């Protein structure tokens, strides 16, 4: 079958979508902008696999960008969704299931005593920022280049060219006013954190970061960096916000705090607020933000920081999230995922070494990135010097052989509990051919 015929229906469907939806996608990450070409259009998923509308099968390492840690269409999740739907889809009134999900999350994630459910990670991050500003009555926020917290106006800022660049919007439509109070530093830059607090400390409401970065590809923090962020926020009375939308329930049952704790990278004192999403909805729209009760009691209606949402805590989405987290709590697949991830990443690295292909494999549990980069990636400045043309070639060489990777060098790939050694070994077999192709003129 020729390349053209193999994706014929996807091509037609995508062209149709482009006539009515900007870029043919409802989120830019899906548009294959980082790898060229046009996205495949998905028909269905089951376990570790997805199929496109041309009938091509793929081992899936995107998993909807993280939520599907159990794999596609897990029976317990599907059954919970069906059962909830039969009782109605939304009430705009409290339901017990929302409380059960909130209780389960607070039981699992350290330093979260109370939590508010919302509809996305963006909404959760935006609300946490507003809460930090309301609680401290300050306005400045520190974020880090390469960390993504959703399309929150105040966080859509350029990577800091100098050490403490006040925010310059990196999207049209984001006003200079909305980013004027955002300080953008480089990740793992301990000195920059200390300098920013020395300069602005008493006006800083909070620091938000991905404790393990997924959004420049997988990048781990240094212990000094996390300790400095915690020390400086505590010293100056700013709140520390861990954005665990990607890492929450992904890298460990207790999220990045637990995972980093085992590596000796997590400071003794945890964050003041935690932002969550993805897995807590099991593939349906759920976000959340939570933390110490005395901070969360600033949130409306009990406190003066307003936040609301028609479908927040939606019964169907909550049922999906509850079923997912209950299955994770029952099976605790993290050691299994660690073994699969180690098998895959060590295998990929061995292939690259044999081909003398400069690369960095960086991972945390079942989230991983193969960087085509000469040096370890510790921040955005290094990440952007990765060989993106070579990544694009790798992406397509894998896709054409039935392996669906994230369509960007700067995204994390994900292994689900539905993957097994069969899928890992099949992926490695394909990668041997795909990586050899990457040496040709890339
Ligand atoms: P959502 O609003 O997309 O649910 O969450 C935003 C968000 C917040 N924080 C972190 C650490 C995140 O990774 C995300 C969203 N992640 C991207 C992929 N890197 C979602 C994919 C997309 O934008 O379509």
């Amino acid at each position: 079958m020729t390349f053209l015929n193999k994706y014929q229906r996807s091509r037609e469907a995508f062209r149709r979508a482009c006539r009515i939806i900007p870029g043919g996608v409802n989120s830019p990450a899906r548009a294959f902008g980082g790898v060229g070409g046009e996205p495949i259009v998905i028909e269905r998923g089951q376990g570790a696999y997805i199929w496109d509308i041309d009938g091509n099968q793929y081992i899936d390492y995107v998993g909807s960008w993280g939520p599907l840690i159990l794999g596609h269409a897990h029976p317990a999740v599907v059954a919970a969704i069906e059962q909830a739907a039969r009782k109605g889809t939304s009430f705009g009134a409290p339901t017990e299931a929302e409380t059960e999900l909130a209780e389960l999350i607070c039981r699992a994630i350290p330093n979260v005593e109370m939590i508010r459910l919302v509809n996305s990670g963006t909404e959760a991050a935006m609300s946490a920022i507003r809460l930090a500003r309301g609680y401290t009555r300050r306005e400045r926020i520190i974020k880090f280049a390469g960390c993504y917290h959703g399309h929150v106006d105040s966080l859509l800022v350029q990577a800091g060219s100098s050490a403490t660049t006040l925010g310059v919007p990196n999207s049209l439509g984001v006003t200079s006013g909305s980013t004027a109070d955002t300080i953008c530093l480089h990740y793992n830059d301990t000195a920059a954190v200390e300098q920013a607090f020395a300069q602005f400390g008493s006006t800083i409401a909070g620091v938000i970061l991905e404790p393990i970065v997924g959004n420049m590809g997988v990048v781990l923090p240094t212990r000094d960096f996390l300790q400095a962020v915690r020390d400086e926020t505590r010293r100056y009375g700013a709140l520390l916000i861990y954005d665990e939308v990607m890492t929450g329930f992904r890298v460990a049952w207790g999220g990045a705090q637990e995972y980093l704790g085992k590596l000796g990278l997590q400071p003794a004192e945890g964050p003041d607020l935690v932002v969550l999403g993805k897995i807590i909805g099991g593939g349906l729209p759920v976000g959340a933000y939570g933390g110490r009760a005395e901070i969360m009691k600033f949130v409306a209606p009990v406190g003066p920081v307003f936040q609301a949402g028609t479908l927040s805590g939606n019964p169907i989405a909550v049922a999906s999230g509850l079923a997912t987290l209950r299955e994770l709590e029952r099976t605790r697949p993290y050691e299994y995922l660690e073994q699969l991830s180690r098998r895959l990443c060590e295998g990929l690295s061995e292939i690259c070494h044999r081909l003398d292909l400069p690369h960095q494999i960086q991972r945390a549990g079942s989230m991983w990135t193969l960087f085509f980069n000469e040096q370890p990636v510790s921040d955005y400045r290094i990440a952007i010097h990765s060989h993106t043309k070579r990544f694009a070639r790798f992406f397509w060489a894998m896709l054409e052989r039935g392996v669906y990777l994230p369509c960007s060098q700067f995204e994390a790939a994900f292994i689900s509990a539905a993957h097994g050694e069969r899928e890992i070994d099949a992926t490695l077999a394909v990668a041997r051919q795909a990586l050899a192709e990457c040496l040709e003129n890339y």
Side-chain angles (χ1 to χ4, degrees), residues 237-322:
L239 297 190
L240 175 54
I241 306 167
Y242 270 17
D243 180 342
E244 291 224 48
V245 166
M246 192 181 288
T247 56
F249 298 97
R250 164 59 61 179
V251 296
W253 176 248
Q257 294 181 70
E258 176 183 333
Y259 186 87
L260 293 169
K262 288 175 181 167
L263 296 178
L265 299 176
Q266 173 61 30
E269 186 186 354
D272 301 299
L273 290 174
V274 178
V275 173
L276 294 161
K278 294 184 191 280
I279 290 174
I280 67 169
L284 269 67
V286 181
Y289 63 104
R292 290 202 312 274
E294 53 113 0
I295 300 174
M296 291 303 292
K297 285 175 179 170
F298 267 66
V299 177
V302 288
V305 177
F306 187 72
Q307 180 265 308
T310 303
L311 297 177
S312 293
N314 171 266
I316 317 293
V318 164
S320 174
L322 262 178

Side-chain angles (χ1 to χ4, degrees), residues 27 29-30 65 120-123 148-150 210 215 243 245-246 278 411:
S27 190
R30 308 171 189 172
W65 302 99
S120 68
T122 295
E123 212 182 329
Y148 176 65
H149 309 291
E210 293 179 64
N215 285 289
D243 180 342
V245 166
M246 192 181 288
K278 294 184 191 280
E411 292 285 0

Side-chain angles (χ1 to χ4, degrees), residues 21 120 125 127 148 211 308 382 391:
I21 299 171
S120 68
S127 306
Y148 176 65
I382 297 171
F391 178 85

Side-chain angles (χ1 to χ4, degrees), residues 420-433:
E421 287 190 2
R422 176 169 168 263
E423 283 71 34
I424 299 303
D425 293 348
T427 303
L428 290 172
V430 164
R432 283 184 192 89
Q433 304 158 27

Side-chain angles (χ1 to χ4, degrees), residues 104-174:
L104 195 164
I105 293 170
C106 291
R107 193 167 66 235
I109 306 294
N111 299 296
V112 178
E113 296 172 344
M114 290 191 88
I115 198 161
R116 168 61 61 83
L117 302 179
V118 294
N119 300 282
S120 68
T122 295
E123 212 182 329
M126 175 180 72
S127 306
I129 296 289
R130 184 181 309 136
L131 175 56
R133 286 171 161 160
Y135 178 77
T136 62
R137 291 175 177 74
R138 299 176 181 177
E139 299 187 355
R140 285 205 168 99
I141 291 288
I142 291 177
K143 77 160 303 257
F144 297 91
C147 288
Y148 176 65
H149 309 291
H151 59 97
V152 187
D153 271 15
S154 62
L155 300 181
L156 291 179
V157 294
Q158 303 282 12
S161 48
S162 62
T164 57
T165 303
L166 287 179
V168 176
N170 65 4
S171 165
L172 278 184
V174 173

